[in-house]
Amino acid sequence: MSSHVLQTVPLGAGPWPTIDPFLFCVHHHDDYPVGNEQFGPTGSLEGREIGSDFSGKDGWSMYHGDVVPGFPQHPHRGFETVTFVRNGLIDHSDSMGAAARFGRGDVQWMTAGGGIVHSEMFPLLQTDEPNPVELFQIWVNLPMRDKMVDPYFTMLWDHEIPRHHTIDATGLAAEITVVAGQLADLTPSAPPPNSWASNADSDFAIWHIRLDAGATITLPAAKSHETARLLYIFQGTGVTVGDERVDGMHVAVVQSDVDLTIRATADAPVEILMLQARPIGEPVAQYGPFVMNDQAGIEQAFRDYERTKFGGWPWETDAPTHARNQERFARHVNGRVETPSVVAGS
């Protein structure tokens, strides 16, 4: 048996290491306290650098919020954001006039394209119990031909996201949440039309894998040896990939064109985020929220943002939130409103 592990890197507190076409991956896990009337945390914010608080003090951060935690209005161009919210809620508002409240297993997949301004706030709605929030945000590059497409977002509601359940030879369970990329006979909802993931040759997948302590699962081979496959072991003490141990809080770059056997250590359940895709293979020039192919593209992005504000900001505040009693929803630029089914617990 071969390990098929090409490289391992420790995961720090900030953004996790990525490779083409993935630009950024971060895991926010905040144990927010009871909320106040303004949807912010109860108690004092003393000791935090308000406006840029990534301290994790008391188990949570305000990020760029000053009343409500989160990320007030900020621009993007030239890439996509995939926001997979496992716990808590996110209030989205953008420069196109679109809005959403999503979370509790939902995914928002947004193509920034030629430019959008949006805010992502974490309203702490519960006034009699804590408000934990856990999410992944993944930035996916766009190829040159799609850098300037119109902004667009797709909602993948929790009850629509397929799950693959297995029981191994010892009776232990594993589950794979298939956000993107077909697995067995499971096909998730389509990503945005100009996404790299919509390219039939991209071999793109985002899977969340959960293993019982000691459980084993085999991931099918990707389509090509050119495909990059990364395993972020973010919960538990570690796994064995083939015959090589990978500790918890590490990312493993693994061989993609082979069936991959993964076994959790026997002392604790394990959770893994898997990112997979063929690389775009184009030059990348990045400055903060702008990702283009060269420095001239970055300079043009700044000029365009100064001139147009990517559509302006139609909201009264930089950090809008929705009403306390607002259920999960998405209102798109064309006025279409969608909500999860009542059966799914919206």
Side-chain angles (χ1 to χ4, degrees), residues 169-320:
T170 63
L172 297 172
E175 178 187 73
I176 302 179
T177 300
V178 185
V179 174
Q182 186 163 348
L183 173 63
D185 60 349
L186 302 178
T187 303
S189 300
N194 292 106
S195 173
W196 179 242
S198 292
N199 182 331
D201 296 327
S202 69
D203 206 10
F204 193 100
I206 299 175
W207 297 344
H208 171 259
I209 303 163
R210 187 189 183 284
L211 299 163
D212 283 351
T216 299
I217 196 168
T218 299
L219 305 183
K223 297 176 182 176
S224 168
H225 71 278
E226 297 177 356
T227 298
R229 180 178 273 183
L230 300 96
L231 303 177
Y232 297 91
I233 298 94
F234 68 93
Q235 185 72 40
T237 56
V239 296
T240 301
V241 179
D243 60 2
E244 183 166 335
R245 165 70 182 239
V246 181
D247 289 335
M249 289 306 295
H250 279 70
V251 58
V253 182
V254 297
Q255 187 177 348
S256 63
D257 58 344
V258 296
D259 292 345
L260 200 67
T261 299
I262 302 172
R263 180 172 57 83
T265 52
D267 57 345
V270 169
E271 294 189 56
I272 302 168
L273 179 69
M274 190 200 81
L275 302 183
Q276 171 186 298
R278 289 186 64 187
I280 294 173
E282 295 177 352
V284 174
Q286 179 173 356
Y287 192 97
F290 303 145
V291 182
M292 304 303 289
N293 295 103
D294 53 30
Q295 186 59 32
I298 296 294
E299 293 170 0
Q300 186 64 52
F302 274 100
R303 287 194 295 269
D304 290 347
Y305 178 59
E306 286 299 315
R307 179 173 55 87
T308 70
K309 300 301 181 185
F310 295 162
W313 189 246
W315 308 94
E316 293 182 359
T317 72
D318 288 343

Side-chain angles (χ1 to χ4, degrees), residues 102-152:
F102 63 97
R104 301 172 184 163
D106 302 330
V107 175
Q108 185 198 63
W109 195 320
M110 187 183 78
T111 303
I116 193 169
V117 180
H118 75 149
S119 69
E120 303 159 290
M121 306 309 298
F122 310 163
L124 308 184
L125 302 180
Q126 304 303 318
T127 58
D128 57 356
E129 60 184 70
N131 290 270
V133 172
E134 183 188 2
L135 65 94
F136 299 101
Q137 187 165 92
I138 303 154
W139 291 11
V140 184
N141 200 11
L142 287 167
M144 184 184 300
R145 66 176 182 269
D146 293 321
K147 288 285 187 189
M148 298 298 290
V149 298
D150 290 339
Y152 186 94

